[in-house]
Amino acid sequence: MTGDELREHCLALPGAVEEFPFHPEISVFKVGGKIFALSRLRDTPLQVSLKCEPLLAESLRESYTSIVPGYHLNKRHWLTITLGADAGDAMVRDLVEDSFDLVKPKRRRARRTG
């Protein structure tokens, strides 16, 4: 997966936006004002940091050498993945979507009157 493909995948998610609050070279992908992915899309090797459920994050870090605790992020809830290594593109896409789902605004249930 290239940086352009990663950007395209992140921005294809409903309501996702790309911002640059930290540095002009660090793409920050948000939904509902919350970050779900960060990456320097032009770096080699390409890396992306994603939010993850703590138990899954721990399991992934134990199983893949390319997945480490989030760089400059809460190590329990964030992963940093080096793309092109032992975690394939399909897994990265799935983890991007999981991260998006963790932070996207939750729909409120309509209140019943009656």
Side-chain angles (χ1 to χ4, degrees), residues 63-106:
S63 301
Y64 296 89
T65 59
S66 61
I67 300 178
V68 298
Y71 182 71
H72 286 301
L73 298 162
N74 181 313
K75 308 293 188 230
R76 186 166 189 257
H77 294 273
W78 287 84
L79 305 169
T80 296
I81 306 166
T82 301
L83 283 74
D86 59 345
D89 290 355
M91 176 181 284
V92 172
R93 285 187 196 93
D94 287 345
L95 290 172
V96 166
E97 292 166 18
D98 288 351
S99 181
F100 174 87
D101 288 340
L102 284 172
V103 303
K104 74 180 178 185
K106 307 297 184 244

mmCIF file of all heavy atoms in Angstrom, residues 63-106:
data_model
loop_
_atom_site.group_PDB
_atom_site.id
_atom_site.type_symbol
_atom_site.label_atom_id
_atom_site.label_comp_id
_atom_site.label_asym_id
_atom_site.label_seq_id
_atom_site.Cartn_x
_atom_site.Cartn_y
_atom_site.Cartn_z
ATOM 1 N N SER A 63 1.995 -10.720 17.769
ATOM 2 C CA SER A 63 1.955 -11.588 16.598
ATOM 3 C C SER A 63 2.691 -11.043 15.371
ATOM 4 O O SER A 63 3.055 -11.817 14.484
ATOM 5 C CB SER A 63 0.501 -11.843 16.199
ATOM 6 O OG SER A 63 -0.196 -12.456 17.262
ATOM 7 N N TYR A 64 2.878 -9.722 15.293
ATOM 8 C CA TYR A 64 3.460 -9.105 14.099
ATOM 9 C C TYR A 64 4.624 -8.195 14.485
ATOM 10 O O TYR A 64 4.464 -7.305 15.316
ATOM 11 C CB TYR A 64 2.410 -8.277 13.342
ATOM 12 C CG TYR A 64 1.283 -9.105 12.806
ATOM 13 C CD1 TYR A 64 0.150 -9.346 13.573
ATOM 14 C CD2 TYR A 64 1.353 -9.675 11.534
ATOM 15 C CE1 TYR A 64 -0.895 -10.121 13.089
ATOM 16 C CE2 TYR A 64 0.322 -10.452 11.043
ATOM 17 C CZ TYR A 64 -0.796 -10.676 11.825
ATOM 18 O OH TYR A 64 -1.823 -11.457 11.345
ATOM 19 N N THR A 65 5.758 -8.393 13.840
ATOM 20 C CA THR A 65 6.914 -7.540 14.123
ATOM 21 C C THR A 65 6.698 -6.119 13.603
ATOM 22 O O THR A 65 7.330 -5.185 14.100
ATOM 23 C CB THR A 65 8.194 -8.123 13.494
ATOM 24 O OG1 THR A 65 8.016 -8.233 12.081
ATOM 25 C CG2 THR A 65 8.520 -9.481 14.096
ATOM 26 N N SER A 66 5.816 -5.946 12.639
ATOM 27 C CA SER A 66 5.574 -4.622 12.047
ATOM 28 C C SER A 66 4.580 -3.786 12.847
ATOM 29 O O SER A 66 4.319 -2.639 12.496
ATOM 30 C CB SER A 66 5.063 -4.776 10.611
ATOM 31 O OG SER A 66 3.836 -5.488 10.610
ATOM 32 N N ILE A 67 4.031 -4.343 13.917
ATOM 33 C CA ILE A 67 3.050 -3.632 14.740
ATOM 34 C C ILE A 67 3.642 -3.407 16.124
ATOM 35 O O ILE A 67 3.989 -4.360 16.826
ATOM 36 C CB ILE A 67 1.721 -4.411 14.820
ATOM 37 C CG1 ILE A 67 1.132 -4.590 13.418
ATOM 38 C CG2 ILE A 67 0.738 -3.689 15.737
ATOM 39 C CD1 ILE A 67 -0.158 -5.396 13.366
ATOM 40 N N VAL A 68 3.753 -2.135 16.481
ATOM 41 C CA VAL A 68 4.349 -1.742 17.763
ATOM 42 C C VAL A 68 3.406 -0.764 18.467
ATOM 43 O O VAL A 68 2.471 -0.241 17.860
ATOM 44 C CB VAL A 68 5.753 -1.113 17.554
ATOM 45 C CG1 VAL A 68 6.714 -2.120 16.933
ATOM 46 C CG2 VAL A 68 5.670 0.139 16.710
ATOM 47 N N PRO A 69 3.659 -0.484 19.742
ATOM 48 C CA PRO A 69 2.823 0.507 20.439
ATOM 49 C C PRO A 69 2.868 1.855 19.709
ATOM 50 O O PRO A 69 3.865 2.207 19.084
ATOM 51 C CB PRO A 69 3.467 0.613 21.826
ATOM 52 C CG PRO A 69 4.166 -0.688 22.014
ATOM 53 C CD PRO A 69 4.651 -1.074 20.647
ATOM 54 N N GLY A 70 1.785 2.598 19.793
ATOM 55 C CA GLY A 70 1.666 3.874 19.091
ATOM 56 C C GLY A 70 2.782 4.843 19.423
ATOM 57 O O GLY A 70 3.070 5.091 20.591
ATOM 58 N N TYR A 71 3.409 5.381 18.402
ATOM 59 C CA TYR A 71 4.505 6.332 18.550
ATOM 60 C C TYR A 71 3.954 7.672 19.023
ATOM 61 O O TYR A 71 3.099 8.261 18.364
ATOM 62 C CB TYR A 71 5.233 6.473 17.207
ATOM 63 C CG TYR A 71 6.418 7.390 17.242
ATOM 64 C CD1 TYR A 71 7.573 7.011 17.919
ATOM 65 C CD2 TYR A 71 6.392 8.617 16.605
ATOM 66 C CE1 TYR A 71 8.671 7.844 17.956
ATOM 67 C CE2 TYR A 71 7.491 9.453 16.634
ATOM 68 C CZ TYR A 71 8.621 9.062 17.310
ATOM 69 O OH TYR A 71 9.705 9.891 17.348
ATOM 70 N N HIS A 72 4.411 8.158 20.171
ATOM 71 C CA HIS A 72 3.947 9.416 20.776
ATOM 72 C C HIS A 72 2.456 9.409 21.083
ATOM 73 O O HIS A 72 1.811 10.458 21.075
ATOM 74 C CB HIS A 72 4.275 10.621 19.889
ATOM 75 C CG HIS A 72 5.713 10.994 19.898
ATOM 76 N ND1 HIS A 72 6.393 11.339 21.038
ATOM 77 C CD2 HIS A 72 6.613 11.077 18.890
ATOM 78 C CE1 HIS A 72 7.641 11.627 20.731
ATOM 79 N NE2 HIS A 72 7.801 11.469 19.440
ATOM 80 N N LEU A 73 1.889 8.246 21.315
ATOM 81 C CA LEU A 73 0.455 8.113 21.601
ATOM 82 C C LEU A 73 0.277 7.196 22.804
ATOM 83 O O LEU A 73 1.218 6.545 23.244
ATOM 84 C CB LEU A 73 -0.277 7.532 20.379
ATOM 85 C CG LEU A 73 -0.214 8.380 19.116
ATOM 86 C CD1 LEU A 73 -0.563 7.544 17.899
ATOM 87 C CD2 LEU A 73 -1.137 9.574 19.233
ATOM 88 N N ASN A 74 -0.939 7.100 23.303
ATOM 89 C CA ASN A 74 -1.249 6.197 24.402
ATOM 90 C C ASN A 74 -0.948 4.770 23.939
ATOM 91 O O ASN A 74 -1.608 4.249 23.045
ATOM 92 C CB ASN A 74 -2.724 6.346 24.793
ATOM 93 C CG ASN A 74 -3.122 5.459 25.939
ATOM 94 O OD1 ASN A 74 -2.815 4.282 25.956
ATOM 95 N ND2 ASN A 74 -3.834 6.033 26.883
ATOM 96 N N LYS A 75 0.051 4.164 24.526
ATOM 97 C CA LYS A 75 0.539 2.846 24.081
ATOM 98 C C LYS A 75 -0.499 1.735 24.232
ATOM 99 O O LYS A 75 -0.439 0.728 23.547
ATOM 100 C CB LYS A 75 1.796 2.447 24.861
ATOM 101 C CG LYS A 75 2.897 3.482 24.863
ATOM 102 C CD LYS A 75 3.488 3.684 23.498
ATOM 103 C CE LYS A 75 4.703 4.582 23.571
ATOM 104 N NZ LYS A 75 4.688 5.657 22.630
ATOM 105 N N ARG A 76 -1.437 1.926 25.120
ATOM 106 C CA ARG A 76 -2.456 0.898 25.347
ATOM 107 C C ARG A 76 -3.514 0.908 24.242
ATOM 108 O O ARG A 76 -4.045 -0.132 23.866
ATOM 109 C CB ARG A 76 -3.099 1.140 26.707
ATOM 110 C CG ARG A 76 -4.066 0.074 27.111
ATOM 111 C CD ARG A 76 -4.396 0.182 28.602
ATOM 112 N NE ARG A 76 -5.142 -0.983 28.984
ATOM 113 C CZ ARG A 76 -6.451 -0.984 29.176
ATOM 114 N NH1 ARG A 76 -7.141 0.108 29.063
ATOM 115 N NH2 ARG A 76 -7.072 -2.097 29.504
ATOM 116 N N HIS A 77 -3.822 2.076 23.727
ATOM 117 C CA HIS A 77 -4.939 2.228 22.789
ATOM 118 C C HIS A 77 -4.525 2.494 21.347
ATOM 119 O O HIS A 77 -5.387 2.577 20.476
ATOM 120 C CB HIS A 77 -5.849 3.370 23.246
ATOM 121 C CG HIS A 77 -6.548 3.086 24.526
ATOM 122 N ND1 HIS A 77 -7.749 2.431 24.581
ATOM 123 C CD2 HIS A 77 -6.195 3.351 25.812
ATOM 124 C CE1 HIS A 77 -8.132 2.316 25.840
ATOM 125 N NE2 HIS A 77 -7.207 2.854 26.621
ATOM 126 N N TRP A 78 -3.232 2.658 21.075
ATOM 127 C CA TRP A 78 -2.785 2.995 19.725
ATOM 128 C C TRP A 78 -1.686 2.055 19.258
ATOM 129 O O TRP A 78 -0.844 1.630 20.041
ATOM 130 C CB TRP A 78 -2.273 4.437 19.687
ATOM 131 C CG TRP A 78 -3.377 5.439 19.771
ATOM 132 C CD1 TRP A 78 -3.984 5.898 20.906
ATOM 133 C CD2 TRP A 78 -4.028 6.078 18.685
ATOM 134 N NE1 TRP A 78 -4.973 6.793 20.579
ATOM 135 C CE2 TRP A 78 -5.019 6.929 19.223
ATOM 136 C CE3 TRP A 78 -3.872 6.031 17.299
ATOM 137 C CZ2 TRP A 78 -5.842 7.715 18.429
ATOM 138 C CZ3 TRP A 78 -4.684 6.813 16.510
ATOM 139 C CH2 TRP A 78 -5.664 7.650 17.068
ATOM 140 N N LEU A 79 -1.702 1.770 17.955
ATOM 141 C CA LEU A 79 -0.689 0.949 17.293
ATOM 142 C C LEU A 79 0.015 1.797 16.244
ATOM 143 O O LEU A 79 -0.595 2.691 15.656
ATOM 144 C CB LEU A 79 -1.338 -0.194 16.502
ATOM 145 C CG LEU A 79 -2.275 -1.158 17.168
ATOM 146 C CD1 LEU A 79 -2.972 -1.989 16.108
ATOM 147 C CD2 LEU A 79 -1.478 -2.046 18.089
ATOM 148 N N THR A 80 1.264 1.492 15.986
ATOM 149 C CA THR A 80 1.944 2.027 14.817
ATOM 150 C C THR A 80 2.343 0.821 13.975
ATOM 151 O O THR A 80 2.976 -0.106 14.472
ATOM 152 C CB THR A 80 3.166 2.880 15.194
ATOM 153 O OG1 THR A 80 2.697 4.031 15.918
ATOM 154 C CG2 THR A 80 3.909 3.349 13.956
ATOM 155 N N ILE A 81 1.931 0.851 12.715
ATOM 156 C CA ILE A 81 2.156 -0.266 11.798
ATOM 157 C C ILE A 81 3.100 0.181 10.692
ATOM 158 O O ILE A 81 2.881 1.221 10.068
ATOM 159 C CB ILE A 81 0.830 -0.729 11.163
ATOM 160 C CG1 ILE A 81 -0.199 -1.051 12.247
ATOM 161 C CG2 ILE A 81 1.063 -1.919 10.233
ATOM 162 C CD1 ILE A 81 -1.612 -1.190 11.712
ATOM 163 N N THR A 82 4.134 -0.622 10.435
ATOM 164 C CA THR A 82 5.000 -0.395 9.288
ATOM 165 C C THR A 82 4.411 -1.180 8.125
ATOM 166 O O THR A 82 4.309 -2.416 8.198
ATOM 167 C CB THR A 82 6.443 -0.845 9.583
ATOM 168 O OG1 THR A 82 6.919 -0.097 10.712
ATOM 169 C CG2 THR A 82 7.342 -0.610 8.382
ATOM 170 N N LEU A 83 3.996 -0.457 7.100
ATOM 171 C CA LEU A 83 3.352 -1.101 5.956
ATOM 172 C C LEU A 83 4.382 -1.818 5.090
ATOM 173 O O LEU A 83 5.551 -1.442 5.056
ATOM 174 C CB LEU A 83 2.578 -0.073 5.136
ATOM 175 C CG LEU A 83 1.251 0.327 5.769
ATOM 176 C CD1 LEU A 83 1.442 1.231 6.959
ATOM 177 C CD2 LEU A 83 0.360 0.972 4.744
ATOM 178 N N GLY A 84 3.929 -2.852 4.393
ATOM 179 C CA GLY A 84 4.795 -3.603 3.506
ATOM 180 C C GLY A 84 5.592 -4.682 4.220
ATOM 181 O O GLY A 84 6.406 -5.352 3.607
ATOM 182 N N ALA A 85 5.368 -4.847 5.511
ATOM 183 C CA ALA A 85 6.082 -5.883 6.261
ATOM 184 C C ALA A 85 5.142 -7.073 6.469
ATOM 185 O O ALA A 85 4.386 -7.425 5.572
ATOM 186 C CB ALA A 85 6.594 -5.305 7.582
ATOM 187 N N ASP A 86 5.134 -7.658 7.670
ATOM 188 C CA ASP A 86 4.373 -8.889 7.871
ATOM 189 C C ASP A 86 2.863 -8.682 8.050
ATOM 190 O O ASP A 86 2.106 -9.640 7.943
ATOM 191 C CB ASP A 86 4.950 -9.718 9.018
ATOM 192 C CG ASP A 86 4.977 -9.001 10.350
ATOM 193 O OD1 ASP A 86 4.813 -7.764 10.368
ATOM 194 O OD2 ASP A 86 5.186 -9.669 11.375
ATOM 195 N N ALA A 87 2.402 -7.479 8.289
ATOM 196 C CA ALA A 87 0.956 -7.202 8.332
ATOM 197 C C ALA A 87 0.567 -6.725 6.932
ATOM 198 O O ALA A 87 0.995 -5.665 6.488
ATOM 199 C CB ALA A 87 0.632 -6.142 9.376
ATOM 200 N N GLY A 88 -0.213 -7.514 6.221
ATOM 201 C CA GLY A 88 -0.540 -7.214 4.832
ATOM 202 C C GLY A 88 -1.496 -6.035 4.670
ATOM 203 O O GLY A 88 -2.081 -5.530 5.631
ATOM 204 N N ASP A 89 -1.653 -5.612 3.424
ATOM 205 C CA ASP A 89 -2.518 -4.476 3.103
ATOM 206 C C ASP A 89 -3.957 -4.689 3.555
ATOM 207 O O ASP A 89 -4.597 -3.753 4.041
ATOM 208 C CB ASP A 89 -2.505 -4.194 1.597
ATOM 209 C CG ASP A 89 -1.185 -3.623 1.116
ATOM 210 O OD1 ASP A 89 -0.293 -3.346 1.957
ATOM 211 O OD2 ASP A 89 -1.040 -3.443 -0.112
ATOM 212 N N ALA A 90 -4.470 -5.901 3.412
ATOM 213 C CA ALA A 90 -5.860 -6.180 3.813
ATOM 214 C C ALA A 90 -6.018 -5.965 5.323
ATOM 215 O O ALA A 90 -7.023 -5.391 5.762
ATOM 216 C CB ALA A 90 -6.264 -7.596 3.420
ATOM 217 N N MET A 91 -5.038 -6.402 6.094
ATOM 218 C CA MET A 91 -5.105 -6.204 7.542
ATOM 219 C C MET A 91 -5.047 -4.718 7.872
ATOM 220 O O MET A 91 -5.792 -4.234 8.730
ATOM 221 C CB MET A 91 -3.978 -6.926 8.272
ATOM 222 C CG MET A 91 -3.993 -6.627 9.774
ATOM 223 S SD MET A 91 -2.675 -7.422 10.658
ATOM 224 C CE MET A 91 -3.328 -9.072 10.700
ATOM 225 N N VAL A 92 -4.187 -3.978 7.189
ATOM 226 C CA VAL A 92 -4.083 -2.535 7.438
ATOM 227 C C VAL A 92 -5.413 -1.859 7.131
ATOM 228 O O VAL A 92 -5.902 -1.045 7.915
ATOM 229 C CB VAL A 92 -2.933 -1.909 6.633
ATOM 230 C CG1 VAL A 92 -2.947 -0.389 6.738
ATOM 231 C CG2 VAL A 92 -1.585 -2.467 7.104
ATOM 232 N N ARG A 93 -6.036 -2.220 6.026
ATOM 233 C CA ARG A 93 -7.349 -1.646 5.684
ATOM 234 C C ARG A 93 -8.375 -1.952 6.777
ATOM 235 O O ARG A 93 -9.133 -1.083 7.197
ATOM 236 C CB ARG A 93 -7.835 -2.168 4.337
ATOM 237 C CG ARG A 93 -7.148 -1.557 3.164
ATOM 238 C CD ARG A 93 -7.795 -1.984 1.833
ATOM 239 N NE ARG A 93 -6.895 -1.684 0.750
ATOM 240 C CZ ARG A 93 -6.005 -2.526 0.238
ATOM 241 N NH1 ARG A 93 -5.904 -3.756 0.693
ATOM 242 N NH2 ARG A 93 -5.220 -2.141 -0.753
ATOM 243 N N ASP A 94 -8.386 -3.191 7.235
ATOM 244 C CA ASP A 94 -9.320 -3.582 8.308
ATOM 245 C C ASP A 94 -9.051 -2.799 9.593
ATOM 246 O O ASP A 94 -9.986 -2.350 10.260
ATOM 247 C CB ASP A 94 -9.221 -5.083 8.604
ATOM 248 C CG ASP A 94 -9.837 -5.953 7.522
ATOM 249 O OD1 ASP A 94 -10.591 -5.429 6.668
ATOM 250 O OD2 ASP A 94 -9.572 -7.173 7.530
ATOM 251 N N LEU A 95 -7.779 -2.604 9.940
ATOM 252 C CA LEU A 95 -7.442 -1.886 11.161
ATOM 253 C C LEU A 95 -7.764 -0.394 11.043
ATOM 254 O O LEU A 95 -8.158 0.234 12.024
ATOM 255 C CB LEU A 95 -5.970 -2.112 11.533
ATOM 256 C CG LEU A 95 -5.651 -3.522 12.016
ATOM 257 C CD1 LEU A 95 -4.145 -3.717 12.172
ATOM 258 C CD2 LEU A 95 -6.376 -3.839 13.317
ATOM 259 N N VAL A 96 -7.636 0.167 9.839
ATOM 260 C CA VAL A 96 -8.062 1.560 9.612
ATOM 261 C C VAL A 96 -9.561 1.671 9.870
ATOM 262 O O VAL A 96 -10.028 2.581 10.563
ATOM 263 C CB VAL A 96 -7.714 2.031 8.179
ATOM 264 C CG1 VAL A 96 -8.448 3.324 7.833
ATOM 265 C CG2 VAL A 96 -6.211 2.213 8.016
ATOM 266 N N GLU A 97 -10.319 0.728 9.330
ATOM 267 C CA GLU A 97 -11.782 0.747 9.509
ATOM 268 C C GLU A 97 -12.163 0.525 10.969
ATOM 269 O O GLU A 97 -13.086 1.176 11.476
ATOM 270 C CB GLU A 97 -12.423 -0.284 8.596
ATOM 271 C CG GLU A 97 -12.282 0.097 7.128
ATOM 272 C CD GLU A 97 -12.597 -1.031 6.161
ATOM 273 O OE1 GLU A 97 -13.245 -2.017 6.563
ATOM 274 O OE2 GLU A 97 -12.170 -0.921 4.992
ATOM 275 N N ASP A 98 -11.451 -0.363 11.663
ATOM 276 C CA ASP A 98 -11.714 -0.581 13.092
ATOM 277 C C ASP A 98 -11.447 0.696 13.886
ATOM 278 O O ASP A 98 -12.221 1.065 14.771
ATOM 279 C CB ASP A 98 -10.833 -1.700 13.652
ATOM 280 C CG ASP A 98 -11.245 -3.088 13.176
ATOM 281 O OD1 ASP A 98 -12.314 -3.221 12.550
ATOM 282 O OD2 ASP A 98 -10.470 -4.039 13.427
ATOM 283 N N SER A 99 -10.342 1.372 13.573
ATOM 284 C CA SER A 99 -9.996 2.614 14.256
ATOM 285 C C SER A 99 -11.077 3.671 14.015
ATOM 286 O O SER A 99 -11.514 4.353 14.948
ATOM 287 C CB SER A 99 -8.634 3.114 13.760
ATOM 288 O OG SER A 99 -8.266 4.295 14.409
ATOM 289 N N PHE A 100 -11.509 3.785 12.780
ATOM 290 C CA PHE A 100 -12.591 4.711 12.421
ATOM 291 C C PHE A 100 -13.841 4.409 13.241
ATOM 292 O O PHE A 100 -14.454 5.301 13.820
ATOM 293 C CB PHE A 100 -12.874 4.582 10.922
ATOM 294 C CG PHE A 100 -14.049 5.369 10.439
ATOM 295 C CD1 PHE A 100 -13.903 6.693 10.059
ATOM 296 C CD2 PHE A 100 -15.303 4.786 10.345
ATOM 297 C CE1 PHE A 100 -14.990 7.430 9.600
ATOM 298 C CE2 PHE A 100 -16.388 5.508 9.897
ATOM 299 C CZ PHE A 100 -16.235 6.837 9.520
ATOM 300 N N ASP A 101 -14.202 3.127 13.322
ATOM 301 C CA ASP A 101 -15.403 2.725 14.063
ATOM 302 C C ASP A 101 -15.295 3.049 15.555
ATOM 303 O O ASP A 101 -16.297 3.362 16.196
ATOM 304 C CB ASP A 101 -15.682 1.230 13.889
ATOM 305 C CG ASP A 101 -16.202 0.888 12.497
ATOM 306 O OD1 ASP A 101 -16.706 1.791 11.787
ATOM 307 O OD2 ASP A 101 -16.098 -0.296 12.107
ATOM 308 N N LEU A 102 -14.081 2.978 16.104
ATOM 309 C CA LEU A 102 -13.895 3.279 17.528
ATOM 310 C C LEU A 102 -14.130 4.752 17.857
ATOM 311 O O LEU A 102 -14.564 5.072 18.956
ATOM 312 C CB LEU A 102 -12.483 2.890 17.979
ATOM 313 C CG LEU A 102 -12.224 1.410 18.176
ATOM 314 C CD1 LEU A 102 -10.735 1.176 18.424
ATOM 315 C CD2 LEU A 102 -13.047 0.865 19.329
ATOM 316 N N VAL A 103 -13.839 5.641 16.909
ATOM 317 C CA VAL A 103 -13.929 7.072 17.221
ATOM 318 C C VAL A 103 -15.106 7.787 16.572
ATOM 319 O O VAL A 103 -15.425 8.905 16.956
ATOM 320 C CB VAL A 103 -12.622 7.822 16.868
ATOM 321 C CG1 VAL A 103 -11.446 7.215 17.597
ATOM 322 C CG2 VAL A 103 -12.379 7.871 15.389
ATOM 323 N N LYS A 104 -15.758 7.158 15.599
ATOM 324 C CA LYS A 104 -16.846 7.855 14.908
ATOM 325 C C LYS A 104 -17.972 8.194 15.886
ATOM 326 O O LYS A 104 -18.177 7.476 16.880
ATOM 327 C CB LYS A 104 -17.377 7.032 13.738
ATOM 328 C CG LYS A 104 -18.214 5.843 14.128
ATOM 329 C CD LYS A 104 -18.692 5.074 12.917
ATOM 330 C CE LYS A 104 -19.496 3.854 13.357
ATOM 331 N NZ LYS A 104 -19.861 3.035 12.227
ATOM 332 N N PRO A 105 -18.666 9.287 15.623
ATOM 333 C CA PRO A 105 -19.781 9.659 16.509
ATOM 334 C C PRO A 105 -20.821 8.545 16.566
ATOM 335 O O PRO A 105 -21.158 7.938 15.542
ATOM 336 C CB PRO A 105 -20.353 10.914 15.853
ATOM 337 C CG PRO A 105 -19.257 11.433 14.984
ATOM 338 C CD PRO A 105 -18.478 10.228 14.544
ATOM 339 N N LYS A 106 -21.278 8.298 17.750
ATOM 340 C CA LYS A 106 -22.303 7.261 17.941
ATOM 341 C C LYS A 106 -23.670 7.858 17.638
ATOM 342 O O LYS A 106 -23.947 8.998 17.984
ATOM 343 C CB LYS A 106 -22.286 6.737 19.381
ATOM 344 C CG LYS A 106 -20.926 6.268 19.851
ATOM 345 C CD LYS A 106 -20.425 5.091 19.053
ATOM 346 C CE LYS A 106 -19.116 4.580 19.611
ATOM 347 N NZ LYS A 106 -17.988 4.683 18.760
#
